[in-house]
Structure formats: C-alpha cells, structure tokens
Amino acid sequence: MNEFKEAKQAYDNVPVPAELDQRVRAGIRQGKARRARQAWGKRLGTVAACFVVVVGALNVSPTMASAAADIPVLGGLFRVLTVRSFTDENSDRTLEVEQPAVEGCDALAQRVNREIQAIVDEKTAEGEQLIAEYKDAYFATGGTQEEWERHDNTASVTYDIKSQTDTTVSFVVNSSVSIANAYQEQFYYNLDLTADKELTLADLLGEDWVTICNDSIRAQMAASENADMFFTEDQGGFTTVDEMTNFYIDQSGDPVVVFPKYTVAPGAMGEVEFTISK
C-alpha cells in the first residue's frame, strides 16, 4: 500500500457527523453562486470610501489578542497589509484571523477589501456555528466535556501571497475549520495594479486560453501517478475551464489552475493544482 492510499485510508476513517457532508456540498454550491455574484459586481460603480476608512472601521473585541502589521508587498502606491490579526479563544473554540487588505483609494482596492472583510465575517461566523453543531452531535453520541476540550476546534481565516512583481500581486485568502478537513475554501486574487483590474487567464495565456488550459490539464491528469483517481466526465469530473475557474500566479509568472476538493477527484486528494506553462 503506497503513501497516498495510506493517507486516503486515514482520511476516510476520520469520524464526521452525517450532516457535515451535506453542509460541505451546500457550501461549495453557495461559493460558486457567490463568485458569480462577485463577477457581476465587478461591473458596478466604484466605492466612495478610501482605504483608511476600511482600516479605521475594523473593530477588535477587547477579549482578543490583536495586532496590526504593516507588511509592504509592493513599492509605490500599492501594498498588501495585514490590517487585522487576532486569536480569540473560549472553552469551545478558537478563532484565528490574519486579514489582508490592498492599500489604495482606487475602485479595485476598495472592492477587494470589502470582499475580504465580508469573507472574514462570514467564515468566522460559519466556523463558530459548525463547531457548535459538531459539539451538540458529539455529546449526543456519548462524548464528554473533558474529551471535547481535548479537541482542536479552530476556525481560521488567513492569507498567502503567491507572487509579486512591480505591478502585480497574486494572493489567496484561506478559510478552514479544523474539525472537518473537507470544510475549507479559498478565494483567489490576481491583481494588475497599474491597469486597476483583476487579471484573467485570457490576459495571461491569450485568446486560446481555454484550449491551452484544457489540453494541459488533461495531459497532466493522464500523466499523474493518481490518474485513475480523477473523476470522469460522466462522474461529474473535469470538462473545461471557464471564467470562474480558480487560479493564482506562481513565482515564474505562470497561472496555476486550482480545483477545490470533490470537484475533479475524491476529497482525500485535497485541492488539485495544474501549472499552465505559457
């Protein structure tokens, strides 16, 4: 039995409440709907308030150990900052947040910052609710308070900068809940700061981007040592990329297409990534 199969077996043996799978799949559907709404929102008018208003409005509870770190990512007028960082613990759960924001008064920065603020608010609330529901189910099946307190019950929202140049930045906002490996979500931002726009796969790969991506992804799937694990099209697996396909830009400047858990392969494979060379 190879390492992947052992990891998959361990993953599949983790006890998870029956209702969690339904919540995860519902969350995936909601995420797709939300990204569709966000794509439409890109066509709307600009936001009036400047970045300083966004930062000034971030109120942190006195019970939280908080810090704001001024971490420059880009020179000139644009930087990505950690505008809020805190850990909030009680006997039932831990909330961990490291919240980024793009500095600037332009429409792009304001829209991205508003979206990130909404993600932090939504995902920490969802995490608390999921942990509370899991606790109820845990005690209903014979669990004790002492056993419960030994669990790692953490809901977190963090971010990771994937690449940066003088004019672009690519980063991802990650949300997760420790009690459920499946309950994770990522939000990708690929920004061209000089053009005041979000970069697309078409911007990076040209007008034939769909064909380029599809051919590369299928070839990489076929060459993978886990080729037999990918879902077929009849099973709801990969068919084609589109405008809503997640990606980030790596340090070489190549787009890396990312598929969430359960979309093109079993959840044990985690997120599945394919680098599309130019």
Side-chain angles (χ1 to χ4, degrees):
M1 181 177 290
N2 61 33
E3 293 182 1
F4 174 81
K5 290 183 178 179
E6 290 176 352
K8 181 179 184 299
Q9 184 178 28
Y11 178 95
D12 290 337
N13 288 335
V14 174
V16 178
E19 66 272 14
L20 180 59
D21 183 66
Q22 297 176 357
R23 286 176 55 80
V24 170
R25 295 182 185 278
I28 292 172
R29 291 194 297 271
Q30 291 169 3
K32 290 180 178 178
R34 179 174 54 254
R35 287 192 290 271
R37 292 195 298 271
Q38 290 173 350
W40 172 250
K42 294 177 185 179
R43 299 173 175 83
L44 300 181
T46 61
V47 180
C50 285
F51 172 83
V52 65
V53 177
V54 175
V55 175
L58 298 177
N59 296 316
V60 180
S61 166
T63 64
M64 298 175 180
S66 60
D70 186 7
I71 304 175
V73 174
L74 297 172
L77 297 177
F78 299 99
R79 293 182 298 174
V80 173
L81 309 174
T82 299
V83 293
R84 187 167 61 158
S85 179
F86 67 81
T87 298
D88 181 20
E89 287 185 271
N90 63 29
S91 60
D92 286 338
R93 91 297 180 265
T94 299
L95 300 180
E96 295 179 346
V97 171
E98 185 178 10
Q99 180 177 339
V102 181
E103 187 178 34
C105 289
D106 55 280
L108 175 65
Q110 289 301 308
R111 180 179 59 76
V112 168
N113 293 337
R114 287 166 61 93
E115 287 181 8
I116 293 173
Q117 182 64 58
I119 289 168
V120 171
D121 293 342
E122 177 183 349
K123 293 306 173 182
T124 52
E126 282 185 4
E128 285 196 277
Q129 180 181 355
L130 184 64
I131 291 170
E133 292 175 356
Y134 184 85
K135 180 181 180 181
D136 290 342
Y138 185 79
F139 285 129
T141 55
T144 67
Q145 181 66 36
E146 182 180 3
E147 292 170 336
W148 171 256
E149 290 177 357
R150 289 201 295 265
H151 281 66
D152 175 18
N153 304 313
T154 302
S156 66
V157 182
T158 60
Y159 73 100
D160 180 25
I161 296 174
K162 296 296 187 179
S163 66
Q164 62 189 62
T165 70
D166 290 340
T167 59
T168 65
V169 62
S170 178
F171 66 97
V172 56
V173 178
N174 307 287
S175 71
S176 65
V177 181
S178 60
I179 60 172
N181 290 331
Y183 203 78
Q184 301 175 359
E185 195 167 0
Q186 287 71 37
F187 304 84
Y188 295 85
Y189 293 93
N190 304 291
L191 310 181
D192 184 332
L193 303 172
T194 56
D196 192 22
K197 62 177 286 186
E198 285 203 64
L199 291 166
T200 66
L201 287 169
D203 292 327
L204 298 172
L205 299 172
E207 62 181 14
D208 293 330
W209 65 276
V210 173
T211 299
I212 293 171
C213 287
N214 289 349
D215 289 349
S216 178
I217 290 168
R218 291 190 179 104
Q220 291 181 62
M221 284 183 171
S224 170
E225 63 179 9
N226 299 315
D228 60 339
M229 298 295 296
F230 291 107
F231 299 145
T232 65
E233 290 189 22
D234 291 341
Q235 294 171 325
F238 174 72
T239 55
T240 183
V241 296
D242 58 29
E243 289 81 1
M244 302 307 298
T245 298
N246 291 326
F247 76 96
Y248 64 85
I249 303 170
D250 66 16
Q251 295 290 344
S252 298
D254 292 326
V256 179
V257 172
V258 185
F259 294 101
K261 289 182 178 181
Y262 306 108
T263 54
V264 299
M269 287 184 66
E271 287 190 315
V272 183
E273 299 186 353
F274 300 96
T275 301
I276 312 299
S277 298
K278 299 178 182 177

